[in-house]
């Protein structure tokens, strides 16, 4: 028998006489039962603003509910091009978020989804792409998708159009 975490094992011995010894092992088979969490996971907002100044920026995923998670809860994150292209305007650096076992859902824990924006020096106006939550892996817990399972990221262009008009004079 290999006791699991939460089991109680007691060992000892009892001697009736010098020739006979009885060794006993008492095992408490009442295991601690992990509490299970019930809740929803979603983006905290349906939109995120980003700037084209480059660098890493984030959107936030929240998990709300009751209880504590019995096991890790993992949610894959994907990105889909809109007018912004992953090949030239942004790259997704977080491909999943994990809320660890024991997390108290009443504290409304959050995780960041990171993406990098490329400062491309092109005058192109604002561009967008979307982030989506994938299938939730929550063994031992009841976690469902909330109402905000996608997030549209708008990248504001940092280049500005200028028009210079120069006055000229002619002499005839």
């Amino acid at each position: 028998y290999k006791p699991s975490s939460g089991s109680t094992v007691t060992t000892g011995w009892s001697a009736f006489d010098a020739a006979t010894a009885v060794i006993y092992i008492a095992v408490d088979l009442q295991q601690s039962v992990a509490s299970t969490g019930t809740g929803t996971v979603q983006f905290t907002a349906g939109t995120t603003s980003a700037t084209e100044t480059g660098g890493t920026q984030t959107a936030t995923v929240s998990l709300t509910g009751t209880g504590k998670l019995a096991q890790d809860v993992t949610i894959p994150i994907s990105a889909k091009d809109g007018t912004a292209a992953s090949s030239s305007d942004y790259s997704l650096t977080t491909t999943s978020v994990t809320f660890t076992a024991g997390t108290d859902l009443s504290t409304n824990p959050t995780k960041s989804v990171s993406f990098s924006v490329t400062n491309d020096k092109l005058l192109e106006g604002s561009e967008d792409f979307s982030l989506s939550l994938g299938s939730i892996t929550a063994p031992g817990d009841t976690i469902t998708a909330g109402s905000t399972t996608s997030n549209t990221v708008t990248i504001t262009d940092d280049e500005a159009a200028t028009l210079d008009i120069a006055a000229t004079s002619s002499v005839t």
Side-chain angles (χ1 to χ4, degrees), residues 55-78:
T56 300
Q57 299 179 45
T58 61
T60 304
V61 176
S62 67
L63 181 56
T64 59
T66 59
K68 292 185 178 181
L69 296 177
Q71 295 184 27
D72 290 356
V73 173
T74 301
I75 304 102
I77 307 294
S78 62

Side-chain angles (χ1 to χ4, degrees), residues 134-169:
S135 297
I136 301 164
T137 303
D141 295 294
T142 305
I143 306 298
T144 57
S147 59
T148 313
T149 59
S150 65
N151 182 296
T152 300
V153 178
T154 301
I155 303 169
T156 304
D157 196 2
D158 65 345
E159 282 75 44
T162 59
L163 176 62
D164 291 330
I165 300 176
T168 60
S169 62

